[in-house]
Amino acid sequence: MASIGLNLDEQKAVDRFKKDVVEPSMTKLVILDFWAEWCGPCKALAPTLEKVAAEYADKGVVLAKINVDEEQFIAAQFQVRSIPTVYAMFRGQPVADLTNARSETQLKQVLDQLLQQLPVEGGNGAGGEQDIAPLIAMGEEVLAAGDGERAAGIFLQLAQMAPDNAQVQAGLIRALLAAGRTDEAQAALDALPPELHADLAIGQAKTALDLAREAPQDEGELAELRSAAAADPSNAEAQFAFAQAAFAAGQRDEAAEVLLKLVEEQPEWNEGAAKAKLLQMFEAVGLEDPWVAATRRKLSLILFG
């Protein structure tokens, strides 16, 4: 958690969080419970969390509680919008969302799985690469939900556990891009061993990075490109420039609409550049993504309909 530019109260809050949560999580699995005195469901859940944490203490599990009224800055950093919110923390990063594990049985099942996967002091896990698939899936879910910063934290943790795992490294690059940390994403790609560059997942991440480089400097630049495209619908170059900027800015529906129209009306422009750009976007997003599947169908109708 960054501390640059914080006021005195915020810095004190970060220091408390580091002492109570981050430092224990370096070797232990911390159940982090966001709660408040006025929250009935929080009070109902508390005995279950306390009981399970006590039973799992010898396995390396500890319980930390954050009162959202007293620690509003920390709650805001975790984007807590409702309580109770419960995370599992390891080495300073959230590795699982435990909020929906409301029963003792559910909570124990998740903890057992995590303890098998993570090298927790006192636990049974070795943190082996073969055990991290559920954590990769969680990182991908967080990334798909649009929380690039949190996803980057998860994948950074996984990269320490499995530095040679292509899925982990690809997820890290894409999460850093989603968080707007393009230079860090490039550095992560550059640091990969040569043998990983041939992996399809890394290829997808590299394509996403290439497309991110086309992002406009600010909203004003994107607005100018949009206006130029709208002013001259027959200008393929203006349409193309706006589409690639819109996609890099996260407005992929608008980008696809412009490119599909360009494919339909000027398919041979610039040696089929509009179709090629769409295919590049599909690769970056992932061929199994619902948006890609829907847009590919539209492209097929234009090409073969």
Side-chain angles (χ1 to χ4, degrees), residues 129-141:
E129 191 167 324
Q130 69 276 14
D131 297 323
I132 66 173
L135 296 179
I136 294 175
M138 186 190 74
E140 292 290 353
E141 288 176 7

Side-chain angles (χ1 to χ4, degrees), residues 72-138:
Q72 295 182 18
F73 178 73
I74 298 300
Q77 300 308 298
F78 279 82
Q79 299 183 351
V80 174
R81 295 182 175 87
S82 63
I83 51 175
T85 291
V86 186
Y87 290 119
M89 301 283 294
F90 185 63
R91 292 181 180 170
Q93 299 292 340
V95 294
D97 188 340
L98 306 179
T99 304
N100 293 325
R102 297 299 179 92
S103 71
E104 183 176 333
T105 299
Q106 290 173 328
L107 185 59
K108 287 182 176 179
Q109 286 177 342
V110 178
L111 291 177
D112 287 339
Q113 186 180 51
L114 290 172
L115 290 170
Q116 287 294 324
Q117 298 161 352
L118 300 171
V120 176
E121 186 177 283
N124 299 320
E129 191 167 324
Q130 69 276 14
D131 297 323
I132 66 173
L135 296 179
I136 294 175
M138 186 190 74

